[in-house]
Amino acid sequence: MLDAKTEKAIAQIAERIRQVFGAEVVSVVLYGSAAGEDFTPGRSDLNFAIVFQRLTFAQLKALHQHLPAWRKLGAATPLLLDRRSLERARDVFPAEFLDIQAQHRVLYGEEVFAALTIDPRNLRYQAEHEARSKLLRLRALYAEVGADRKRLAALMLDSVKTFLIIMRNVLRVRGAEGHPRYPMVLDHFERHAGISFPTVRHLLRVRLGLESDIGALDDTFAAYLDEVERLVDLIDRDLAATAPAHS
């Protein structure tokens, strides 16, 4: 449950959007941790999606004036869409839209996200693309920052969330629940895959403040990289059997 200060900030931002844009706005939605159970005051962002009838440069210019004040209230830069882009972007952002569907709250206007239909084939392609590209990026970043202990620790803690999101979307492709809470995602994924990811679990616990010591950084990174490589291999083999082959 959100604290009173956060609820006040959410209401203030939503009301300001309504005052500034009025009937130009189709829907204002709060999504992410603030619409679920994982919100941490002072640490978690407030994520808003604003859906316009038609998004124009004039609206962007008007929003620009308000964002500094909203950031002071804890808001991230909002996701900006209009009716047409919302409909036509389903094939390229299936995971993002499913995440919003799973955990959101309509502050005013229409319920536009719940009605979206996502093709699981598009989610399958996005899951594999994200997994492979993030693995390439992880390797490259180690080559760049491996000697910097502080940056290496941050690299692991920052990236672990990305791979848990990929696991969530693989579960969705397989018809399982894509739970919004990361520990539950990992539990479900390990059970469905029949493979454990102890280093991913350890890094997640450190990120959540449940453990304090990452351990020997090079050893931890080597084990982490091995688990990510196994994840990518699993996605390649498993999803290839559940969706059409690449064209």
Side-chain angles (χ1 to χ4, degrees), residues 180-195:
R181 302 190 71 181
Y182 295 122
M184 295 293 289
V185 170
L186 185 54
D187 288 345
H188 290 185
F189 190 85
E190 287 182 330
R191 185 165 62 250
H192 276 264
I195 301 173

Side-chain angles (χ1 to χ4, degrees), residues 160-230:
V160 71
K161 176 181 173 182
T162 297
F163 293 108
L164 289 163
I165 291 171
I166 291 169
M167 289 180 182
R168 176 194 292 156
N169 289 314
V170 174
L171 287 169
R172 287 170 172 161
V173 172
R174 298 180 68 169
E177 179 185 6
H179 201 283
R181 302 190 71 181
Y182 295 122
M184 295 293 289
V185 170
L186 185 54
D187 288 345
H188 290 185
F189 190 85
E190 287 182 330
R191 185 165 62 250
H192 276 264
I195 301 173
S196 63
F197 294 85
T199 309
V200 170
R201 184 175 297 278
H202 170 58
L203 292 172
L204 175 61
R205 288 179 62 82
V206 173
R207 181 185 172 102
L208 295 176
L210 301 175
E211 295 181 23
S212 58
D213 184 17
I214 289 182
L217 290 178
D218 282 334
D219 291 344
T220 301
F221 186 87
Y224 181 43
L225 187 63
D226 180 66
E227 290 181 17
V228 170
E229 289 171 346
R230 284 194 287 128

Side-chain angles (χ1 to χ4, degrees), residues 125 244-247:
Y125 297 140
H246 295 289
S247 59

Side-chain angles (χ1 to χ4, degrees), residues 51-63:
V51 182
F52 292 87
Q53 296 286 358
R54 190 174 76 86
L55 187 55
T56 66
F57 176 73
Q59 292 162 344
L60 294 177
K61 193 170 183 179
L63 274 169

Side-chain angles (χ1 to χ4, degrees), residues 12-33:
Q12 183 177 335
I13 293 170
E15 176 60 17
R16 191 60 180 156
I17 294 170
R18 188 191 66 79
Q19 291 174 352
V20 172
F21 299 107
E24 298 172 22
V25 172
V26 174
S27 183
V28 177
V29 170
L30 178 73
Y31 69 95
S33 61

